[in-house]
Amino acid sequence: MNMRQLVVALAVSVGGLAGLPAAGLAAPVGPDGDAFYVPPAPLPAGAKGSVVWTRPFAGTMALPSAARNLLVLYLSEDPSGKPVAVSGTVAVPKGEPPAGGWPVITWTHGTIGLAAICAPSRDTATGPEHAYVADIQRLLDKAVAAGYAVVATDYQGLGVDVFQPFFQGVPNAKNVLDMIRAAREIEPRIGTTYAVMGHSQGGQADLFTAAIGPTYAPEFRLVGNVAMAPGSNIKGRLDAVIDSAKAELAVPYVLYVLTSYAHVDPRIDLSRILTQEARAHLPDLYKGCMTAALTQGYWSTAIARDQFQSNPDLAAFLEMGARNEPGALAISVPTLILQGTGDQTVRPPDTDILARDLCAKGITLTYKVFPGQSHDGVMEAGAADALGFIDDRFAGKPAASNCGALPSSTDK
């Protein structure tokens, strides 16, 4: 019996499906093609999570096992607190919902680029990041097949062509939570109990979502979260590239963070951090998606330390970085962290430190290491653990913690 069947059986035993609202509340139908991602100007008035428009979705992020896939444009909040339009997807399970509605998994994706076209919902079979999106689709299809409603934000700045607050935990988390609100406006048979699951950049966003969810979206009940290869240790990654005399895969990631933070904090002056040549090539990061930044053009061959001033002014940047470290969060629900030892994007020792930091905060944490698994490979290798953990949280089972004997990625 899968999760949906179990919950439906319990629902029937306590009075069936009475009390659920009817499906299919009317919402404006959005335009076809890329025009969907161009919001009205000015934005319509509405609460956070209000739907701007929606339409059926058949892109590569559509989940084959779902009864319906929907593309959504909805209102969220930018880093300054102003309304912003954000895109995302909703996958509705087959069959009838249990009492209280379908349980929800809200997905937080990893780094895919800075340009609007890089959004998972805009992916195609020949898209620049299709291999990654295909990995996400396989994982999430298992969830919707098991009876979960799956909602997935693109984040502000992906999909819709506005600034992306890359690796800014709170703004990204607000997008994630407002995505649930939007999904329920379109399909009210989606429930109010949810878990968060994410990967890489989305692992950091996942942890911030779990931290702020109970206060930012108190109408929902969070039961647990799963962070796969979560990004952390901003200062450590910056120090590593500043000291490196070779081209480094981490350089585009570091520059994504630098430009993101400088956009919202005027004290961060990139002219006092990066060389003139490096600043001249920053627009290149918006011309393609992540794979292009790593394999093509200036940033694929640039010597890491040569991009930085000899004595960069990093004080304000590091202050903002510290505020975005997931290891400093207080999380009230059981948490699972998964990490592959073969990961070359998120350094496994950084995740070891993150796990220790979260344990020191007193959270109920399970940390599992996968020998030899790559950054993306941990999604497939850890799928059964992740979905099993979420099943147990929805079923109300007590959560275990291995904080007393955490594994180390260097021991595998």
Side-chain angles (χ1 to χ4, degrees):
M1 180 178 288
N2 65 29
M3 182 64 196
R4 182 187 64 80
Q5 292 168 331
L6 173 62
V7 177
V8 169
L10 291 173
V12 171
S13 72
V14 296
L17 302 175
L20 281 178
L25 286 185
V29 177
D32 293 336
D34 289 345
F36 186 92
Y37 297 92
V38 181
L43 287 174
K48 291 173 286 190
S50 296
V51 174
V52 176
W53 52 48
T54 184
R55 75 179 192 215
F57 178 59
T60 58
M61 265 290 284
L63 305 184
S65 297
R68 289 193 298 148
N69 288 278
L70 302 166
L71 184 62
V72 186
L73 193 71
Y74 64 99
L75 297 182
S76 191
E77 187 175 277
D78 75 7
S80 69
K82 296 179 180 178
V84 65
V86 181
S87 56
T89 57
V90 177
V92 179
K94 294 176 180 176
E96 293 297 321
W102 284 295
V104 181
I105 293 175
T106 187
W107 167 256
T108 55
H109 69 79
T111 303
I112 204 164
L114 293 181
I117 196 64
C118 304
S121 74
R122 294 181 70 167
D123 179 60
T124 67
T126 58
E129 304 302 324
H130 179 64
Y132 180 60
V133 174
D135 287 342
I136 294 172
Q137 186 202 47
R138 284 191 292 272
L139 172 63
L140 298 184
D141 196 57
K142 293 181 174 71
V144 79
Y148 292 101
V150 177
V151 303
T153 182
D154 287 327
Y155 308 135
Q156 175 186 331
L158 292 173
V160 180
D161 190 9
V162 294
F163 161 69
Q164 181 191 164
F166 180 83
F167 217 77
Q168 295 187 33
V170 170
N172 292 167
K174 289 178 178 179
N175 296 166
V176 175
L177 293 160
D178 290 333
M179 181 75 242
I180 307 175
R181 289 169 166 153
R184 295 196 71 248
E185 182 178 322
I186 297 167
E187 175 48 271
R189 294 185 299 173
I190 291 173
T192 58
T193 304
Y194 73 105
V196 194
M197 180 167 64
H199 173 251
S200 191
Q201 171 196 358
Q204 185 243 19
D206 160 274
L207 294 166
F208 271 85
T209 302
I212 75 166
T215 52
Y216 182 77
E219 70 270 35
F220 301 139
R221 182 172 70 92
L222 174 65
V223 296
N225 71 299
V226 178
M228 303 177 177
S232 67
N233 195 4
I234 297 166
K235 182 179 185 301
R237 297 313 296 268
L238 177 64
D239 289 344
V241 298
I242 286 178
D243 290 340
S244 176
K246 61 181 182 178
E248 293 280 356
L249 290 175
V251 168
Y253 294 96
V254 169
L255 292 173
Y256 283 8
V257 182
L258 276 167
T259 56
S260 168
Y261 290 7
H263 187 93
V264 300
D265 188 340
R267 299 177 304 151
I268 301 172
D269 183 352
L270 295 182
S271 70
R272 300 171 66 181
I273 298 173
L274 300 173
T275 65
Q276 183 177 357
E277 184 176 23
R279 296 196 308 276
H281 284 282
L282 288 177
D284 298 357
L285 298 173
Y286 290 85
K287 293 178 181 177
C289 300
M290 191 71 238
T291 300
L294 295 174
T295 62
Q296 302 171 19
Y298 180 83
W299 293 112
S300 66
T301 59
I303 300 302
R305 68 184 182 189
D306 292 348
Q307 311 311 308
F308 296 89
Q309 302 278 5
S310 58
N311 187 27
D313 178 7
L314 295 169
F317 173 76
L318 293 176
E319 285 180 21
M320 189 168 179
R323 294 196 299 272
N324 284 283
E325 280 297 341
L329 295 172
I331 297 173
S332 61
V333 296
T335 298
L336 173 66
I337 293 179
L338 307 177
Q339 177 65 48
T341 65
D343 195 329
Q344 297 184 29
T345 302
V346 168
R347 300 179 301 185
D350 289 345
T351 308
D352 291 351
I353 294 168
L354 170 62
R356 291 200 297 270
D357 288 346
L358 289 173
C359 284
K361 299 286 287 186
I363 78 167
T364 302
L365 175 71
T366 301
Y367 179 38
K368 185 166 184 179
V369 172
F370 291 81
Q373 286 297 331
S374 67
H375 185 60
D376 292 355
V378 76
M379 288 192 291
E380 182 173 356
D385 290 274
L387 295 176
F389 177 87
I390 290 172
D391 284 350
D392 287 347
R393 303 292 74 77
F394 276 99
K397 295 182 180 179
S401 171
N402 61 352
C403 281
L406 288 172
S408 169
S409 63
T410 59
D411 293 339
K412 302 294 180 176

